[in-house]
Amino acid sequence: FDRRKRMTEKSLSRSLMIAFAAAGLVLSVPAAAQEVDADAAKALFKQNDCGKCHNPERNKKGPSLKKTAKEYKGKADAEQQIIKHLTVSKKVKLDDGTEEDHKVVETKDPKVLSNLARWILSH
């Protein structure tokens, strides 16, 4: 009985190790799926004239992408907030104190918007 119990414990232990390893693989897949296609994001950024007001490193009429990423860092809903800002035209205050309507990004594709938001947040 003792020998059978030890074998069962070994089997259980081995099964748990395999389960944890499989769980690790499953959990790493979403991280890979979250990779940013920087070239596509840069193209959309350029196509929509975002560079007119925003620069990756320095403030222009609007905040730099670096400043925006810092502002949203650690917020669970950062990507959704960025997407909302990109898709809903609203008045924004510019660095010179004036206001203007923020231009809406010309796409409705959620994957494309998500990629652009993640690219902005990667700065």
Side-chain angles (χ1 to χ4, degrees):
F1 175 74
D2 228 13
R3 184 174 174 200
R4 206 173 353 158
K5 182 180 176 185
R6 275 185 277 153
M7 288 178 68
T8 303
E9 287 173 353
K10 277 186 179 180
S11 280
L12 182 59
S13 178
R14 190 174 300 134
S15 295
L16 283 172
M17 287 191 322
I18 291 169
F20 282 124
L25 285 173
V26 168
L27 293 175
S28 69
V29 170
Q34 292 294 316
E35 285 186 34
V36 175
D37 182 345
D39 292 335
K42 287 177 190 177
L44 187 62
F45 185 82
K46 185 176 180 177
Q47 175 187 342
N48 284 274
D49 293 325
C50 300
K52 178 181 170 192
C53 299
H54 303 280
N55 179 282
E57 295 295 322
R58 60 181 169 73
N59 292 344
K60 287 176 94 173
K61 286 173 79 176
S64 69
L65 302 184
K66 188 175 184 178
K67 181 177 180 180
T68 300
K70 186 177 180 181
E71 178 184 335
Y72 286 97
K73 186 177 183 173
K75 294 184 179 179
D77 63 343
E79 186 178 324
Q80 290 76 26
Q81 286 187 34
I82 297 285
I83 290 171
K84 183 177 179 183
H85 186 74
L86 296 170
T87 58
V88 177
S89 181
K90 66 177 186 172
K91 292 272 186 207
V92 290
K93 283 195 177 200
L94 304 176
D95 283 350
D96 64 6
T98 61
E99 286 187 354
E100 69 179 43
D101 289 329
H102 190 269
K103 186 179 176 195
V104 173
V105 174
E106 296 173 359
T107 184
K108 300 290 183 212
D109 186 329
K111 289 180 183 177
V112 172
L113 289 167
S114 177
N115 185 63
L116 180 58
R118 285 184 277 115
W119 178 71
I120 291 168
L121 292 168
S122 73
H123 284 80

